[in-house]
Amino acid sequence: MGFAAIVVLLALVRLIFPSVAAPRLSAEEMLNDSTQVELAESKTDKETAESSALNAKVEKDSIKIAEETKKITEETEKPLVPVKAEPIPLSKPSKFFNADGTLVKHRIWSVASYKEAFPDSQSVQYASARRWGVESVQNRQEAESRKRELVYVGSNPYYFVDKMNRSIPYLVPRAAVLLNDIGRAFFDSLQMKQVPLHKVIVTSVLRTKDDVDKLRNYNKNATENSCHLYGTTFDICYNRYKTVQDPDGPKRRQVQNDTLKWVLSEVLNDMRRNKRCYVKYEVKQGCYHITVR
């Protein structure tokens, strides 16, 4: 009964004075609490100082930007004074430009002999055609089903494809790239030699077996195992060219075919020396017979 009375008494004291049951801090814990309060106050003061410094810097930068913007505006509003352009002297000799910056006019060298420069026979070109070409086709209908192996070659800024009766304008990709490079190189050479621009004319491309049989009836140079059967060979005539008309220039040609033939021979000679192709100079047909390598 006495124990029960003490418990009831303590419960009443707890209810009347709840702070009696609160945990008591040691001296060290009390010191830590006061230190944390001081650190928090110090941190707040430091952040306030940094914020004030940042605001001052932003204000200073804004004033500087405004001054620079005003200066740039004043400079742009000044009237432009025309300056005479002077040719830029070249520090090193160039084969394309003179010392005063003007374009060098290259001479036309051509080749010493067409037959000696382009002697590649049918047997030499046939071996390359068999290596890089497709299987020969019998007729035009079969050629239509073989277009996945070939690419179309039509007139473009670098060469002109003539009207064809005994061939169709398709080549293997390797030969098509070669033809395009020849046309571009011919253009570059004409520009460097300051010759009016002309396109080379392609006269024959891929032939079917039926085309070869018909061609052999009136052309003795046509062979049964023609390289044209494999899509690797094309003919470029050397006695005809397609004039590139200048809208502001004269409408008539200002250059002879022989001059263009000399330039074309230089281009083909370089291609052959770089092992890009085989070339045969066809006298009676008036063309270069070219097979990709």
Side-chain angles (χ1 to χ4, degrees), residues 1-13:
M1 292 176 64
F3 176 76
I6 293 173
V7 171
V8 170
L9 179 62
L10 291 175
L12 292 174
V13 172

Side-chain angles (χ1 to χ4, degrees), residues 50 108 183 197 259 287:
E50 290 178 352
I108 301 175
L197 293 181
T259 302
C287 68

Side-chain angles (χ1 to χ4, degrees), residues 19-27 29-30 33:
S19 61
V20 175
R24 296 184 176 275
L25 299 176
S26 63
E29 292 175 342
M30 293 177 66
D33 290 343

Side-chain angles (χ1 to χ4, degrees), residues 12-292:
L12 292 174
V13 172
R14 173 72 179 271
L15 292 174
I16 296 172
F17 305 101
S19 61
V20 175
R24 296 184 176 275
L25 299 176
S26 63
E28 182 178 358
E29 292 175 342
M30 293 177 66
L31 179 63
N32 290 337
D33 290 343
S34 61
T35 303
Q36 291 178 1
V37 172
E38 293 177 357
L39 289 175
E41 293 176 353
S42 175
K43 183 176 180 181
T44 302
D45 295 339
K46 184 177 180 181
E47 291 177 351
T48 303
E50 290 178 352
S51 178
S52 300
L54 181 61
N55 292 334
K57 184 179 180 180
V58 171
E59 184 178 358
K60 184 178 179 181
D61 292 342
S62 300
I63 296 174
K64 185 177 180 180
I65 292 172
E67 293 176 353
E68 292 179 353
T69 304
K70 183 179 179 181
K71 184 178 179 181
I72 293 173
T73 304
E74 293 175 353
E75 291 291 335
T76 54
E77 291 177 353
K78 291 181 179 180
L80 298 177
V81 180
V83 179
K84 184 179 179 180
E86 298 291 340
I88 301 174
L90 301 177
S91 58
K92 296 182 180 180
S94 171
K95 65 179 181 179
F96 300 108
F97 298 96
N98 295 312
D100 58 355
T102 59
L103 190 66
V104 173
K105 182 177 180 180
H106 287 207
R107 295 183 59 184
I108 301 175
W109 298 101
S110 187
V111 294
S113 171
Y114 296 114
K115 291 184 178 181
E116 294 179 1
F118 310 115
D120 300 320
S121 62
Q122 165 68 15
S123 59
V124 174
Q125 297 199 29
Y126 181 77
S128 183
R130 292 293 294 164
R131 178 183 179 186
W132 300 109
V134 298
E135 291 297 327
S136 58
V137 294
Q138 183 64 40
N139 48 43
R140 303 296 177 91
Q141 288 73 23
E142 184 180 347
E144 291 294 327
S145 63
R146 303 285 292 279
K147 288 182 179 178
R148 293 185 178 180
E149 308 170 64
L150 305 165
V151 294
Y152 174 78
V153 288
S155 300
N156 61 38
Y158 300 116
Y159 57 83
F160 177 79
V161 179
D162 208 1
K163 183 179 179 181
M164 299 179 180
N165 297 321
R166 292 291 179 263
S167 65
I168 52 179
Y170 288 93
L171 290 171
V172 295
R174 188 183 185 90
V177 172
L178 171 66
L179 175 57
N180 196 69
D181 290 346
I182 290 175
R184 292 184 61 181
F186 183 64
F187 254 36
D188 292 342
S189 296
L190 293 178
Q191 288 180 315
M192 294 306 301
K193 301 175 190 302
Q194 299 183 18
V195 178
L197 293 181
H198 291 74
K199 299 180 185 180
V200 295
I201 298 178
V202 182
T203 56
S204 182
V205 196
L206 174 67
R207 294 175 184 164
T208 66
K209 291 182 179 180
D210 291 349
D211 291 331
V212 173
D213 292 339
K214 293 177 182 179
L215 190 62
R216 293 184 66 194
N217 292 331
Y218 59 88
N219 185 356
K220 296 180 180 181
N221 292 328
T223 60
E224 184 178 0
N225 294 324
S226 173
C227 297
H228 287 279
L229 291 169
Y230 307 101
T232 58
T233 306
F234 50 88
D235 294 342
I236 295 178
C237 63
Y238 55 70
N239 52 14
R240 292 189 296 122
Y241 298 88
K242 191 73 172 177
T243 306
V244 178
Q245 296 289 355
D246 182 0
D248 300 327
K251 299 304 179 183
R252 298 186 63 182
R253 290 181 58 178
Q254 302 296 310
V255 59
Q256 297 180 353
N257 284 339
D258 286 343
T259 302
L260 299 174
K261 181 181 178 181
W262 296 337
V263 178
L264 179 58
S265 67
E266 292 181 8
V267 172
L268 295 180
N269 194 36
D270 289 339
M271 291 288 180
R272 185 176 179 275
R273 287 181 175 180
N274 291 328
K275 298 181 179 181
R276 294 286 308 278
C277 61
Y278 291 111
V279 184
K280 175 65 175 178
Y281 180 71
E282 300 285 359
V283 179
K284 295 182 178 181
Q285 300 302 319
C287 68
Y288 291 107
H289 184 71
I290 304 169
T291 298
V292 70

